[in-house]
Amino acid sequence: MDREAAVIRAEMSETRAALDRKIARLEARAHAFSARKYAASHLPPYFVDRLIGGLLLLTGGGMAWRNWRTRRDRRRVIRATIQASRRW
């Protein structure tokens, strides 16, 4: 009986140690994948390249914003036209 309990305790301690090692490895990987480190690994290394990328991002965002506003205005005109045609 004591021998079985000792074996079970030994297996539990081994399992606990294995889980602790896995948790430590996962925490290390999670730290390696932090947002700052991910961005640093994917950003261009030179300032000029970052500047050009930022300008392109702002230009594309401005174009998308203008297109979205134009569509919204078009929808408003279409709705007004439909409502005006229903009145006749």
Side-chain angles (χ1 to χ4, degrees), residues 4-38:
E4 291 176 9
V7 168
I8 291 173
R9 265 191 241 109
E11 288 177 355
M12 287 175 54
S13 64
E14 286 178 29
T15 304
R16 188 174 296 127
L19 287 175
D20 288 342
R21 283 191 300 270
K22 285 183 182 180
I23 289 172
R25 280 196 311 247
L26 287 173
E27 287 175 348
R29 282 183 66 191
H31 184 68
F33 286 122
S34 69
R36 182 169 288 160
K37 289 190 179 189
Y38 180 83

Side-chain angles (χ1 to χ4, degrees), residues 29-77:
R29 282 183 66 191
H31 184 68
F33 286 122
S34 69
R36 182 169 288 160
K37 289 190 179 189
Y38 180 83
S41 67
H42 285 77
L43 282 176
Y46 301 108
F47 178 74
V48 175
D49 293 339
R50 291 182 187 184
L51 186 66
I52 291 170
L55 289 173
L56 289 173
L57 180 69
L58 288 174
T59 303
M63 291 170 66
W65 176 256
R66 268 185 253 114
N67 188 26
W68 182 76
R69 278 186 34 218
T70 314
R71 281 187 180 176
R72 187 181 59 193
D73 294 342
R74 264 190 248 140
R75 287 182 190 144
R76 192 174 14 173
V77 169

